[in-house]
Amino acid sequence: ETGVTQSPTHLIKTRGQQVTLRCSSQSGHNTVSWYQQALGQGPQFIFQYYREEENGRGNFPPRFSGLQFPNYSSELNVNALELDDSALYLCASSPWTTSSSSYEQYFGPGTRLTVT
Amino acid sequence: SQQGEEDPQALSIQEGENATMNCSYKTSINNLQWYRQNSGRGLVHLILIRSNEREKHSGRLRVTLDTSKKSSSLLITASRAADTASYFCATKTRGKLQFGAGTQVVVTP
């Protein structure tokens, strides 16, 4: 069984640039969620994808977008990077959950994004 | 905004001692989860307790849930240096898993 993997591990970008982060979900999981974690804070939910469609979104602007592919891997795209986008970006996979139930999520190691 | 709030923010103990941290949340829940994070890396799921459960054990971990007070506690018994990490509670609200700011635990030999 393969765990959740993310790439790249670290990334440094300049304000105004665009970035794409990648995530491969754990085998058998069809739901992927993305989180942003600022230093010293808990993870903040960005959005979730199920069967290639966005299925829930947190309080993040439209310049944060995503994709999920038929093999359930996923991408997070951020346009027009701002200094405050500097954070650890975490991807988590899980079996499908309804709004009224919840399973444990399996997290990847994260991508550390620094915007200068 | 974050659904859960952990208390204390930081905790420093010696090996062998017990560590207790608390989580308070705002809205009704179906379940509450605890996660551990080492050195700013990915989170590891520790335990899930359902709203109809009051206590749950997993190895050296003991979790309680009081839905009337909207609070939960995580107890780590006989702590080890390897338990040094940040601990987060998480609840699902309107389809979103929401985390608190975490408790940073340092276990010294």
Side-chain angles (χ1 to χ4, degrees):
Chain A
E1 186 178 272
T2 307
V4 179
T5 60
Q6 292 186 245
S7 63
T9 305
H10 293 90
L11 200 53
I12 300 175
K13 304 288 279 187
T14 303
R15 189 172 49 184
Q17 288 186 316
Q18 178 265 343
V19 69
T20 297
L21 310 182
R22 295 179 174 82
C23 171
S24 291
S25 59
Q26 180 155 321
S27 175
H29 288 179
N30 55 18
T31 303
V32 173
S33 302
W34 285 91
Y35 297 84
Q36 180 195 66
Q37 185 179 22
L39 201 61
Q41 299 295 315
Q44 295 287 308
F45 176 76
I46 302 176
F47 43 56
Q48 180 182 81
Y49 277 83
Y50 170 66
R51 289 188 176 178
E52 303 175 55
E53 291 195 4
E54 187 178 291
N55 179 56
R57 188 179 182 93
N59 295 326
F60 282 82
R63 59 190 184 84
F64 285 78
S65 63
L67 283 173
Q68 186 180 31
F69 301 99
N71 65 354
Y72 304 132
S73 65
S74 177
E75 287 182 354
L76 165 65
N77 299 288
V78 186
N79 294 322
L81 284 166
E82 300 177 358
L83 296 180
D84 285 348
D85 295 334
S86 294
L88 180 68
Y89 288 85
L90 296 163
C91 163
S93 74
S94 62
W96 165 242
T97 64
T98 67
S99 60
S100 60
S101 66
S102 186
Y103 294 97
E104 61 190 79
Q105 298 205 341
Y106 293 79
F107 282 81
T111 293
R112 175 76 61 188
L113 172 65
T114 302
V115 182
T116 62
Chain B
S1 64
Q2 296 183 307
Q3 158 80 320
E5 291 186 8
E6 289 90 345
D7 173 66
Q9 286 186 319
L11 182 59
S12 184
I13 55 174
Q14 291 194 313
E15 267 190 327
E17 293 182 335
N18 295 342
T20 300
M21 59 211 86
N22 303 295
C23 167
S24 59
Y25 56 92
K26 298 171 185 173
T27 62
S28 60
I29 59 171
N30 291 99
N31 61 62
L32 184 143
Q33 303 178 39
W34 284 91
Y35 287 82
R36 184 187 74 223
Q37 184 178 39
N38 292 85
S39 302
R41 302 301 286 170
L43 280 73
V44 174
H45 182 268
L46 295 176
I47 199 164
L48 181 153
I49 185 166
R50 303 187 189 283
S51 59
N52 61 353
E53 296 175 309
R54 291 296 166 259
E55 188 172 311
K56 200 163 183 179
H57 296 255
S58 176
R60 293 184 296 111
L61 305 179
R62 172 179 168 251
V63 168
T64 63
L65 180 65
D66 187 336
T67 53
S68 66
K69 295 181 179 177
K70 292 188 169 58
S71 68
S72 174
S73 68
L74 170 66
L75 167 67
I76 306 173
T77 60
S79 63
R80 305 167 182 168
D83 295 328
T84 294
S86 292
Y87 293 82
F88 297 90
C89 65
T91 58
K92 198 159 192 181
T93 306
R94 292 190 297 276
K96 308 170 193 175
L97 193 62
Q98 294 188 304
F99 291 82
T103 293
Q104 197 168 19
V105 176
V106 175
V107 182
T108 54

